[in-house]
Amino acid sequence: MYILGIESSCDETSASVVEMGEGVRAIRSNIIASQIEVHRIYGGVVPEIASRAHIEAISGITYQALEEAGVTLADIDAIAVTAFPGLIGALLVGVNFAKSLAYAYRKPLIPVNHIEGHICANFLTDPDLKPPFACLVVSG
């Protein structure tokens, strides 16, 4: 199973393809468009500028992630997207893009909690990880 993941909760736009299945957990691609330089002159993230930068980047990085993974949208089984928490304008860009792809290609849409996503990413890097365990996420 291939899952296309889209993230746009703050100042980085990213898209990835993850392969999941019996005994398989593999990150096939992970493309990131950073906005660090754009916001540096303001001393922090400017939400309106971040939203506009997501609009400019999201389509290109998504298709780059698919190409790097060697799959097409037809091969994708589901689309996951950061739905909350985050900057509302930035989230709207990612969610609406993901919803449009899911609708156009008849794929299930999976809303993802940004903080839970940080925690669950550990299962990709350490497949032998077994609950129960404690996690600390420091963000912002």
Side-chain angles (χ1 to χ4, degrees):
M1 163 184 273
Y2 291 105
I3 300 171
L4 171 64
I6 296 172
E7 189 340 81
S8 67
S9 62
C10 191
D11 65 333
E12 289 185 333
T13 315
S14 63
S16 64
V17 175
V18 176
E19 183 179 3
M20 302 291 288
E22 281 297 316
V24 178
R25 289 184 190 162
I27 300 168
R28 297 293 176 208
S29 64
N30 184 33
I31 308 299
I32 301 169
S34 176
Q35 298 179 23
I36 290 174
E37 291 305 315
V38 173
H39 297 285
R40 185 180 308 276
I41 62 172
Y42 303 106
V45 177
V46 179
E48 177 62 23
I49 294 171
S51 299
R52 290 172 189 254
H54 287 303
I55 291 168
E56 293 173 3
I58 197 160
S59 181
I61 65 150
T62 299
Y63 288 101
Q64 187 179 347
L66 291 165
E67 184 178 323
E68 185 176 301
V71 298
T72 67
L73 278 165
D75 300 317
I76 296 296
D77 297 293
I79 298 171
V81 62
T82 303
F84 54 90
L87 300 175
I88 191 66
L91 287 168
L92 283 170
V93 173
V95 168
N96 284 317
F97 184 79
K99 284 172 77 172
S100 298
L101 283 179
Y103 179 79
Y105 288 88
R106 294 178 167 30
K107 305 294 181 182
L109 182 68
I110 304 166
V112 176
N113 177 303
H114 184 150
I115 305 304
E116 290 176 5
H118 281 290
I119 295 167
C120 292
N122 291 296
F123 290 108
L124 290 169
T125 58
D126 189 356
D128 296 326
L129 194 61
K130 303 271 188 275
F133 49 81
C135 294
L136 172 65
V137 178
V138 180
S139 179

